[in-house]
Amino acid sequence: MIIDCHGHFTTAPAALGQWREQQITAFNDGMQAPRPSALQISDDEIRLAIEPWQLKFLHERGSDMILFSPIASHMGHSVGDEAVSRVWSQVANDLVHRACRLYPQHLAPVCQLPQSPGASPAGCIEELRRCVEDLGFVGCNLNPDPSGGFWRDPPITDPWWYPLYEEMVRLDVPAMIHVSGSCLHCVHTTGAHYLHGDTTAFMQMLTSDLFDRFPTLRFVIPHGGGAIPYHWGRYRGIAQDMGRDIDELLSNVFFDTCVYHSNGLEMLLKTIPSKNILFASEMLGAVRGVNPDTGHYYDDTKYYFDELDMLDPKDAQLIFEDNVRAIYPRLNAHLDALT
Amino acid sequence: MIIDCHGHFTTAPAALGQWREQQITAFNDGMQAPRPSALQISDDEIRLAIEPWQLKFLHERGSDMILFSPIASHMGHSVGDEAVSRVWSQVANDLVHRACRLYPQHLAPVCQLPQSPGASPAGCIEELRRCVEDLGFVGCNLNPDPSGGFWRDPPITDPWWYPLYEEMVRLDVPAMIHVSGSCLHCVHTTGAHYLHGDTTAFMQMLTSDLFDRFPTLRFVIPHGGGAIPYHWGRYRGIAQDMGRDIDELLSNVFFDTCVYHSNGLEMLLKTIPSKNILFASEMLGAVRGVNPDTGHYYDDTKYYFDELDMLDPKDAQLIFEDNVRAIYPRLNAHLDALT
């Protein structure tokens, strides 16, 4: 079985974005916000938004399942306030939940959290619990910088975040570290801000004792781990200079394979232990085109595995299926319910 | 000949840092700043600061020369104002100049620029001209974010920067893209901010037509190009989605080899054409220790080349010598003057 741990509902029906626009406009103008029930999307519209895209690519590429979450760049934690973020998260998560209910054999839900700059992460617990316990979500996306580039909140290793971590541990769900859109004109969202979020969050972990306190807390760093695996020697050396061992993080930190060329993937596979790598493509994400040299979509990361042909069956089994089941254990219940 | 394009005077005598502290304190307290002449460092102190460090490592590792610039994290463009930055740059550059005069066969000078948030880059022209025309500097370091993480100034592709680029073109000197210390508590300087500066600057170039206007302008992106080569497929795909060809940047953009493990260097060498790669170690920089697995310093990047043994002599000649001579053409005059 091949499970892609990183997909977003980037093809959601336009009505979702229109609802969100109305919500933001209402907040900015001090008007009554639209009700969640004002968003009307039929099951057929959801099918039409997914079948020609994520499901088509899933089948074409020979994968089986996607961990499916709301559009990352539209989480927009920096917009509005905590109340706005709470309602928007419910709306976005509910739509993902409906999509996953339509295709439970192919989509398992991952939620966004109602983060907001300056608001305690404890405020996310209710929505996390609703998603996981009531709706069967298997994990969440956690934004290490709700301010969208200003890094105004404490680092993710600060006690500020502990209440949320306690609930994640209790529910036994991991978080994918994922920023939302960049609020800085100079910093491109998918080309710079995303990778910076990944890299910075890892560096925060490397300079803290977070996992001593939360030994079962698990974070997935997407986009191939940002700059981290490429600079593994740098991080290993920085850790050593601090009297630490970088390998200690590997009980709690995992990297996905959203790297869109085979040289990059090869480096990742050579550098990071297989038990810490999760197959992923981020489809449909930052890159939509076909590589003219190969005839394959850039985000067809399965193709790079085939091209490299360097994994033994045991490592492949870890990367394509076993790791994601171990890190997102609620996925097993989701899969068991299908049979 | 083996030329390291990226070294900083991180071992400068303590008096330099003390002078800088006095300058900052005076600025903050509205007092008279110390005069540059108040900084007293003898030639012997400079020798003692360099011989047991950069020169020792240079010889041990079989390299010949370093392009030598002031301490990057201490450029501190976000501190004080434009006048403070101007005097500090003169002081820091003058010390680098003296060091290079003592060891002209091993050190060639690269200057910092007196940037300041909100101040026009045109204000850097006078110091750049002084360094290059009067003191024989061969290039400069350009900070794409003088605000230290807030990215408050226009992107480096904006006309805001053109006056400085016109002077760089006239003088025929390149710039290494290099941020200074992070002003954000959450963002580690050498583990996140540096790589983010590299990545973000490249992404700015990829979304602009800067090099149509300045076809001979040259930028070196340090730290192995930040996250760029690892995500080359991502950037190639993003460029393609915009109707552009990423390879067009390769007439103007170059990457150094400050990657501290052989898997990372191998990926860089496989991904980026040899004509766009410059040997470098960033010694003494972010990582000071010895890798216990190899017995070599992490920043002994020459060792990774030896370990990989994958370059043919022509490519090695480009990476170790010819590229840096072509990109920093004033280095040829520096070297010719030695014979």
Side-chain angles (χ1 to χ4, degrees):
Chain A
M1 189 170 189
I2 296 181
I3 302 171
D4 182 333
C5 82
H6 185 184
H8 302 292
F9 198 178
T10 37
T11 56
L16 179 72
Q18 288 156 6
W19 188 93
R20 172 65 164 164
E21 283 300 317
Q22 288 168 14
Q23 188 201 31
I24 295 169
T25 302
F27 176 83
N28 290 337
D29 296 350
M31 308 290 283
Q32 179 78 37
R35 294 172 187 281
S37 60
L39 176 61
Q40 296 287 331
I41 296 175
S42 69
D43 283 356
D44 278 347
E45 286 174 302
I46 294 175
R47 289 188 186 98
L48 269 171
I50 290 181
E51 290 196 6
W53 300 106
Q54 285 86 353
L55 283 197
K56 173 172 171 280
F57 290 133
L58 196 73
H59 295 315
E60 283 179 2
R61 300 174 189 180
S63 302
D64 300 291
M65 172 157 263
I66 305 171
L67 300 201
F68 201 55
S69 64
I71 310 173
S73 62
H74 290 190
M75 294 190 297
H77 294 124
S78 61
V79 177
D81 60 12
E82 192 178 7
V84 165
S85 210
R86 184 174 303 122
V87 178
W88 169 234
S89 293
Q90 290 165 359
V91 167
N93 290 332
D94 283 348
L95 188 67
V96 162
H97 174 241
R98 287 180 59 200
C100 294
R101 285 283 293 270
L102 290 174
Y103 305 100
Q105 69 279 38
H106 296 307
L107 303 176
V110 168
C111 64
Q112 75 178 48
L113 296 172
Q115 298 176 246
S116 188
S120 167
C124 298
I125 292 173
E126 186 181 340
E127 176 64 3
L128 177 66
R129 198 177 287 165
R130 182 183 81 92
C131 286
V132 173
E133 295 193 320
D134 300 348
L135 304 178
F137 280 60
V138 302
C140 61
N141 290 338
L142 184 146
N143 185 344
D145 174 25
S147 66
F150 297 99
W151 297 91
R152 288 206 186 105
D153 284 347
I156 59 166
T157 50
D158 190 272
W160 172 255
W161 300 83
Y162 286 180
L164 176 59
Y165 297 160
E166 284 161 7
E167 189 64 11
M168 284 170 55
V169 165
R170 190 186 74 78
L171 294 169
D172 203 12
V173 293
M176 175 172 280
I177 300 292
H178 207 308
V179 293
S180 188
S182 168
C183 296
L184 298 168
H185 169 59
C186 273
V187 180
H188 191 276
T189 290
T190 56
H193 184 54
Y194 276 19
L195 304 173
H196 183 43
D198 306 334
T199 306
T200 299
F202 180 86
M203 195 62 214
Q204 292 174 358
M205 298 176 207
L206 191 64
T207 49
S208 88
D209 57 1
L210 179 66
F211 301 121
D212 291 343
R213 186 172 181 107
F214 294 102
T216 62
L217 186 64
R218 301 179 298 281
F219 290 125
V220 177
I221 305 190
H223 319 109
I228 301 294
Y230 177 38
H231 290 285
W232 195 246
R234 185 180 189 87
Y235 292 104
R236 196 173 170 211
I238 288 175
Q240 186 176 311
D241 287 349
M242 294 187 298
R244 306 193 59 153
D245 179 356
I246 196 172
D247 291 345
E248 288 171 5
L249 290 186
L250 294 176
S251 299
N252 305 84
V253 180
F254 306 87
F255 302 97
D256 85 7
T257 67
C258 294
V259 181
Y260 297 159
H261 65 141
S262 57
N263 292 340
L265 180 64
E266 179 185 25
M267 192 280 296
L268 174 67
L269 296 176
K270 283 184 175 180
T271 302
I272 303 297
S274 294
K275 76 172 182 59
N276 291 83
I277 299 176
L278 279 70
F279 175 71
S281 69
E282 200 193 355
M283 67 138 142
L284 285 69
V287 179
R288 303 293 172 99
V290 171
N291 184 335
D293 293 344
T294 65
H296 287 261
Y297 284 92
Y298 284 101
D299 67 2
D300 179 1
T301 51
K302 175 71 165 45
Y303 168 75
Y304 305 122
F305 279 94
D306 297 342
E307 195 177 39
L308 289 167
D309 192 25
M310 63 185 272
L311 289 183
D312 67 34
K314 188 170 144 287
D315 288 326
Q317 181 64 30
L318 288 173
I319 291 172
F320 288 119
E321 180 177 355
D322 291 358
N323 290 341
V324 67
R325 282 177 178 265
I327 295 158
Y328 294 79
R330 285 177 179 265
L331 180 60
N332 293 314
H334 178 102
L335 291 165
D336 290 347
L338 299 176
T339 56
Chain B
M1 186 168 193
I2 296 181
I3 302 171
D4 182 334
C5 81
H6 185 184
H8 301 291
F9 197 178
T10 38
T11 55
L16 179 73
Q18 289 155 5
W19 186 95
R20 172 65 164 165
E21 283 299 318
Q22 288 168 12
Q23 188 202 31
I24 295 170
T25 303
F27 176 83
N28 290 337
D29 296 348
M31 308 289 284
Q32 179 79 34
R35 294 173 187 280
S37 59
L39 176 61
Q40 296 286 333
I41 296 175
S42 69
D43 283 356
D44 276 348
E45 287 174 301
I46 294 174
R47 290 189 185 97
L48 269 173
I50 290 181
E51 289 196 6
W53 301 106
Q54 286 87 353
L55 284 196
K56 172 171 172 280
F57 290 134
L58 197 73
H59 294 314
E60 283 180 2
R61 300 174 189 181
S63 302
D64 300 290
M65 170 157 265
I66 305 171
L67 301 202
F68 201 55
S69 64
I71 310 173
S73 63
H74 290 189
M75 294 190 297
H77 295 124
S78 61
V79 177
D81 60 13
E82 192 178 7
V84 165
S85 210
R86 184 173 303 123
V87 177
W88 168 234
S89 294
Q90 290 165 0
V91 167
N93 290 332
D94 282 349
L95 187 67
V96 162
H97 174 241
R98 287 180 60 198
C100 294
R101 284 283 294 270
L102 289 173
Y103 304 100
Q105 69 280 39
H106 296 307
L107 303 177
V110 167
C111 65
Q112 75 178 48
L113 296 172
Q115 297 178 247
S116 189
S120 168
C124 298
I125 291 174
E126 186 182 340
E127 177 64 3
L128 177 65
R129 199 177 286 165
R130 182 183 80 93
C131 287
V132 174
E133 294 193 320
D134 299 349
L135 304 178
F137 281 59
V138 303
C140 62
N141 290 338
L142 184 146
N143 185 344
D145 174 25
S147 66
F150 297 100
W151 297 91
R152 289 207 185 104
D153 284 348
I156 59 165
T157 49
D158 189 273
W160 171 256
W161 300 82
Y162 287 0
L164 177 59
Y165 297 160
E166 284 161 8
E167 189 64 11
M168 285 170 55
V169 166
R170 188 186 75 78
L171 294 168
D172 204 11
V173 293
M176 175 172 279
I177 300 293
H178 208 308
V179 292
S180 188
S182 168
C183 296
L184 298 167
H185 168 59
C186 273
V187 180
H188 190 277
T189 290
T190 56
H193 184 54
Y194 276 20
L195 304 174
H196 183 42
D198 305 334
T199 306
T200 299
F202 181 86
M203 196 62 213
Q204 293 174 356
M205 297 176 208
L206 191 64
T207 49
S208 88
D209 57 2
L210 179 66
F211 301 119
D212 291 342
R213 185 172 181 108
F214 294 102
T216 62
L217 186 64
R218 300 179 300 280
F219 290 124
V220 177
I221 305 190
H223 319 109
I228 301 294
Y230 177 39
H231 290 285
W232 195 247
R234 185 180 189 87
Y235 292 103
R236 196 173 169 212
I238 288 175
Q240 186 176 312
D241 286 350
M242 295 187 298
R244 306 192 60 152
D245 179 355
I246 196 173
D247 291 345
E248 288 171 6
L249 289 186
L250 295 176
S251 299
N252 306 85
V253 180
F254 306 87
F255 302 97
D256 85 7
T257 67
C258 293
V259 180
Y260 298 158
H261 64 143
S262 58
N263 292 340
L265 180 65
E266 178 186 25
M267 192 279 297
L268 174 67
L269 297 176
K270 283 183 174 181
T271 302
I272 304 298
S274 293
K275 75 171 183 59
N276 291 84
I277 299 176
L278 279 69
F279 174 71
S281 69
E282 199 193 357
M283 67 138 141
L284 285 71
V287 179
R288 303 291 172 101
V290 171
N291 184 333
D293 293 344
T294 65
H296 287 261
Y297 284 93
Y298 284 102
D299 68 2
D300 179 1
T301 52
K302 175 72 164 44
Y303 168 75
Y304 305 122
F305 279 94
D306 297 342
E307 195 177 40
L308 288 167
D309 192 24
M310 63 185 273
L311 289 184
D312 66 34
K314 189 170 143 287
D315 288 327
Q317 181 63 31
L318 287 173
I319 291 171
F320 288 118
E321 179 176 355
D322 291 358
N323 290 341
V324 67
R325 283 177 177 264
I327 295 159
Y328 294 79
R330 285 178 179 265
L331 180 60
N332 293 315
H334 179 102
L335 290 165
D336 290 345
L338 298 176
T339 57

